[in-house]
Amino acid sequence: MQTKLKAIMDAAILHKASDIYIWPVSQDYQVSLRVLNERLELKRLSFTEGQMLINFLKFQANMSLSEKRRPQLGSWHYLYQNQTFYCRLSSVGDFLGKESLVIRVLYHEEGLLRGYFFPNQLTKIEQEARKRGLILFAGPMGSGKTTTMYHVAKQFGEQYVLCIEDPIEMYEPNFLQLQVNKKAQMGYPELLKLALRHRPDIFIIGEIRDGKTAQVALNAALSGHLVLSTVHAQSVYGVWERLRSLGVDAELLRQGLQMINYQRLLPTKDGQQKVLFDQLKMEDIKAHGKTKVMTEKWGDNLAKCYQNGWISREIWQKYQAG
């Protein structure tokens, strides 16, 4: 079983897959990878082999082997070419009792600047971060938001960084990392209020999901902290609309919000992946039509990526609307 698992993990890391799926399909198990939001089937296992693989992984992650139906979460690390990759595991059984398991692979941020089409966009975020305030990131799952936030926080040297996430996306020994636990009444608002007493210099908040979290995050930003967080939105302008829909006062946003970044991870012609940003500084946010989605700069930069031969025509057309 270790040999099968090694082959799967090595293939996932080689493809830079964000997730590994071990799912029951008919009378066997399908092992597939999520690469750039596309599913790639890796292999098929017999039903018995699939169950054995899931049990082996659950054992490694200190999950209950006897529990087959209820959702379980676990963590595990895998050593690949002298580099440790941290993994999050999630299992659940369907109505027939067939168990499935998903592994989220957490990558390191080495060579981060090579992962951006225009490194000056990342520099722009770092410059705005030095002014403190709230800097927000949006984009689909797996677009690199957490990696970007951690990189920006690391640029401040020895300053005290406190992270609140659900769950922890990336292990960083120099940061104080707190994980949301709703059963213990430790949600984002509660942990944020507690964290303020620790007086950190920088907050990383995994996600602003409700008005309470947004309010505490903005209060922290207004009190002189740098706050980095994510918001579910489908465009850079959508971030502003999302916060307003959560009941956040527009004037409070104008005072505390420093910058909005929407990012997508695009496949390049050489088989790699790089991030492209759409960005707005607070002073750039003016009245705009409800139908406006992306800035003109997004279209210009996307066209440059195509003209420079970095991306295909298909990708250029696909990401016109973000």
Side-chain angles (χ1 to χ4, degrees), residues 63-318:
M63 300 161 71
S64 172
L65 297 181
S66 60
E67 180 57 70
K68 300 292 185 182
R69 287 204 175 185
R70 293 180 181 175
Q72 289 193 74
L73 298 174
S75 60
W76 170 64
H77 64 269
Y78 179 72
L79 188 64
Y80 176 79
Q81 295 184 354
N82 296 320
Q83 189 175 15
T84 300
F85 288 83
Y86 290 88
C87 303
R88 293 203 316 263
L89 280 68
S90 174
S91 70
V92 70
D94 66 10
F95 76 103
L96 295 174
K98 295 180 180 180
E99 200 168 13
S100 64
L101 186 139
V102 180
I103 306 170
R104 167 60 62 88
V105 184
L106 307 181
Y107 292 88
H108 300 266
E109 59 143 349
E110 284 84 0
L112 190 66
L113 286 174
R114 294 194 298 274
Y116 291 82
F117 285 106
F118 302 102
N120 65 301
Q121 291 188 316
L122 186 60
T123 302
K124 187 175 180 181
I125 300 173
E126 294 169 0
Q127 291 171 344
E128 291 302 309
R130 299 196 179 278
K131 300 176 185 177
R132 302 291 167 168
L134 175 62
I135 296 181
L136 292 174
F137 298 84
M141 183 180 68
S143 59
K145 300 183 294 295
T146 300
T147 302
T148 302
M149 291 193 296
Y150 272 56
H151 172 81
V152 171
K154 284 183 179 180
Q155 304 314 299
F156 288 81
E158 299 300 319
Q159 296 201 43
Y160 187 11
V161 181
L162 192 149
C163 309
I164 301 173
E165 297 178 72
D166 181 21
I168 297 297
E169 292 275 353
M170 186 179 299
Y171 175 62
E172 174 49 59
N174 295 319
F175 296 172
L176 178 59
Q177 297 176 287
L178 308 179
Q179 184 162 296
V180 169
N181 186 338
K182 294 181 181 178
K183 290 183 178 179
Q185 297 184 334
M186 293 169 59
Y188 276 112
E190 292 79 14
L191 284 176
L192 268 168
K193 290 179 181 179
L194 170 68
L196 281 167
R197 298 177 195 147
H198 277 58
R199 302 184 61 83
D201 302 297
I202 301 169
F203 281 107
I204 292 177
I205 303 170
E207 182 185 343
I208 292 178
R209 298 178 177 176
D210 51 49
K212 287 183 179 180
T213 305
Q215 188 71 41
V216 179
L218 275 166
N219 288 340
L222 288 168
S223 65
H225 297 85
L226 169 62
V227 182
L228 309 172
S229 188
T230 71
V231 176
H232 274 305
Q234 295 184 345
S235 70
V236 69
Y237 286 113
V239 172
W240 177 272
E241 300 298 337
R242 171 63 175 159
L243 290 171
R244 294 289 289 121
S245 73
L246 292 176
V248 182
D249 181 71
E251 185 56 36
L252 192 63
L253 279 172
R254 293 188 184 96
Q255 293 180 36
L257 182 57
Q258 191 70 241
M259 186 181 194
I260 298 173
N261 302 277
Y262 176 83
Q263 66 182 79
R264 293 301 303 263
L265 195 59
L266 310 185
T268 62
K269 292 176 76 173
D270 62 359
Q272 302 298 312
Q273 325 172 36
K274 289 189 176 182
V275 169
L276 182 65
F277 287 105
D278 198 16
Q279 298 176 307
L280 284 174
K281 292 196 293 184
M282 191 59 237
E283 57 263 33
D284 298 328
I285 300 176
K286 300 175 182 178
H288 58 84
K290 292 287 184 182
T291 58
K292 191 164 185 179
V293 178
M294 310 298 286
T295 67
E296 292 181 4
K297 190 69 173 176
W298 171 266
D300 293 342
N301 284 332
L302 193 62
K304 286 180 184 177
C305 291
Y306 172 59
Q307 292 161 5
N308 290 338
W310 299 338
I311 62 174
S312 67
R313 182 177 182 83
E314 179 186 1
I315 295 301
W316 171 50
Q317 293 176 333
K318 180 179 180 180

Side-chain angles (χ1 to χ4, degrees), residues 3-4 7-8 29-32 40-45:
T3 302
K4 282 187 172 65
I8 293 168
Y29 269 87
Q30 179 190 70
V31 180
S32 59
L40 172 67
E41 183 172 335
L42 192 60
K43 62 169 61 183
R44 293 270 179 147
L45 300 174

